[in-house]
């Protein structure tokens, strides 16, 4: 079995946006664990990693690991930096190894802090399946176009748009756009088109956009929207994601 072992990130480079809300740490690890991530235990940032894999999350006992190197006995009672690598990035947290079971599996307490690092520069979160949630493009002369958010990060989003509803040339700007859900809406947001590709249906197109010269309010509303969706998904309350979006009344 081939393991990709990556060292832990140092505190100096950890972005605050990588940290998971403590309420959702166990469920986040459980969700990512379904992808059977491999990784390593690191006594410190300068030590070599010992290959391991996360087997499962037991709410009563904690995290169950299988070592693929080293001695099980040497790990019992130690604190390790755990780095787990999946298809979308990696998780990192301090694992307090409590004991080993009769199968030789290591059992660690569920951590109090967790960072989730995506391969992308910024976290991308899938949009919610909410028919009342739209991103509205302002096309000028009082014209507006409702679009759907496929995914969103703190710095941009992927939109699903009706084919030929408007021009989607790469480099084009959209000004004074906004999130909308029923009677609530965000402040104005400016975007620049970075890419486009065919949609899931023949009459749709997907357009990747980045924020254009965002101010503090725009950055706050983007991250608030992204984190509200992600946290609601982890908590299995996706149908009420909007309650924690800063612009939602």
């Amino acid at each position: 079995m081939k393991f990709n072992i990556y060292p832990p990130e140092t505190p100096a480079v950890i972005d605050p946006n990588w940290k998971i809300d403590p309420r959702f740490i166990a469920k986040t690890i459980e969700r990512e664990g379904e992808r059977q991530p491999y990784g390593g235990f690191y006594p410190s940032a300068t030590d070599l990693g010992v290959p391991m894999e996360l087997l499962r999350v037991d709410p009563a006992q904690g995290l169950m690991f299988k070592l693929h190197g080293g001695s099980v006995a040497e790990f019992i009672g130690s604190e390790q930096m755990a780095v787990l690598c999946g298809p979308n990035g990696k998780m990192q947290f301090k694992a307090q190894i409590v004991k080993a079971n009769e199968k030789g599996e290591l059992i660690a307490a569920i951590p109090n802090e967790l960072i989730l690092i995506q391969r992308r520069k910024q976290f991308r979160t899938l949009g919610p399946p909410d028919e009342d949630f739209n991103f509205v493009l302002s096309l000028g002369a009082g014209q507006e176009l409702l679009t759907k958010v496929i995914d969103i990060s703190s710095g941009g989003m992927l939109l699903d748009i009706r084919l030929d509803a408007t021009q989607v040339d790469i480099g084009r700007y959209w000004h004074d756009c906004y999130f909308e859900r029923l009677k609530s809406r965000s402040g104005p947001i400016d975007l620049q088109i970075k890419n486009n590709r065919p949609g899931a249906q023949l009459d749709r197109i997907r357009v990747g956009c980045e924020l254009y010269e965002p101010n503090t309010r725009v950055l706050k509303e983007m991250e608030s929207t992204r984190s509200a969706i992600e946290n609601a998904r982890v908590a299995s309350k996706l149908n009420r994601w909007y309650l924690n979006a800063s612009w939602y009344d």
Side-chain angles (χ1 to χ4, degrees), residues 160-185:
D160 183 75
I161 301 175
R162 189 176 75 254
L163 187 65
D164 297 328
T166 187
Q167 292 181 307
V168 292
D169 305 324
I170 294 174
R172 177 179 290 273
Y173 296 95
W174 284 322
H175 297 285
D176 298 325
C177 310
Y178 55 91
F179 292 112
E180 179 184 71
R181 190 182 190 281
L182 300 178
K183 296 181 179 180
S184 297
R185 64 171 60 179

Side-chain angles (χ1 to χ4, degrees), residues 1-245:
M1 182 180 297
K2 180 177 175 57
F3 282 75
N4 292 320
I5 303 297
Y6 297 97
E9 304 294 331
T10 62
V13 302
I14 293 176
D15 189 311
N17 289 331
W18 296 350
K19 294 183 179 180
I20 300 301
D21 188 314
R23 295 174 297 169
F24 308 127
I25 286 176
K27 288 190 175 182
T28 299
I29 295 176
E30 184 176 15
R31 184 191 64 188
E32 295 295 319
E34 293 175 353
R35 301 171 181 173
Q36 298 180 319
Y38 301 122
F41 281 134
Y42 294 80
S44 73
T46 59
D47 289 309
L48 295 176
V50 176
M52 58 77 171
E53 63 179 304
L54 175 65
L55 298 176
R56 61 191 178 277
V57 179
D58 186 320
Q61 296 192 63
L63 311 180
M64 320 294 281
F65 295 96
K66 180 179 180 180
L67 276 186
H68 289 269
S71 167
V72 169
E74 293 176 354
F75 279 81
I76 297 175
S78 69
E79 183 179 80
Q80 304 285 327
M81 184 64 75
V83 180
L84 289 160
C85 305
N88 298 321
K90 68 180 182 180
M91 291 187 294
Q92 176 178 315
F93 55 90
K94 289 182 179 179
Q96 185 66 47
I97 310 298
V98 179
K99 60 183 178 179
N101 61 20
E102 66 280 1
K103 298 179 182 179
E105 300 168 349
L106 290 174
I107 302 174
I110 293 174
N112 296 319
E113 293 187 353
L114 170 70
I115 64 171
L116 186 61
I117 308 165
Q118 291 190 345
R119 294 185 185 277
R120 293 176 179 266
K121 182 179 179 181
Q122 295 174 317
F123 281 93
R124 288 273 180 172
T125 296
L126 290 176
D130 183 345
E131 292 300 321
D132 294 322
F133 175 49
N134 298 291
F135 188 76
V136 182
L137 301 181
S138 298
L139 304 180
Q143 292 184 315
E144 294 185 332
L145 178 65
L146 301 184
T147 73
K148 288 299 180 182
V149 177
I150 300 300
D151 64 41
I152 178 175
S153 74
S154 296
M157 65 189 86
L158 179 65
L159 300 174
D160 183 75
I161 301 175
R162 189 176 75 254
L163 187 65
D164 297 328
T166 187
Q167 292 181 307
V168 292
D169 305 324
I170 294 174
R172 177 179 290 273
Y173 296 95
W174 284 322
H175 297 285
D176 298 325
C177 310
Y178 55 91
F179 292 112
E180 179 184 71
R181 190 182 190 281
L182 300 178
K183 296 181 179 180
S184 297
R185 64 171 60 179
S186 71
I189 297 171
D190 296 339
L191 299 175
Q192 183 180 24
I193 298 174
K194 292 296 183 179
N195 59 72
N196 57 63
R197 62 178 185 268
Q201 300 173 330
L202 293 177
D203 62 343
R204 311 293 294 184
I205 189 169
R206 293 191 172 179
V207 183
C209 308
E210 287 186 359
L211 295 180
Y212 176 68
E213 297 184 349
N215 57 30
T216 302
R217 176 196 55 78
V218 171
L219 293 173
K220 177 182 177 181
E221 292 185 342
M222 286 289 291
E223 174 54 24
S224 168
T225 305
R226 185 208 67 79
S227 61
I229 296 168
E230 179 65 14
N231 290 341
R233 178 174 283 112
V234 172
S236 299
K237 297 180 179 179
L238 194 54
N239 61 327
R240 297 174 65 82
W241 70 269
Y242 45 85
L243 295 180
N244 287 322

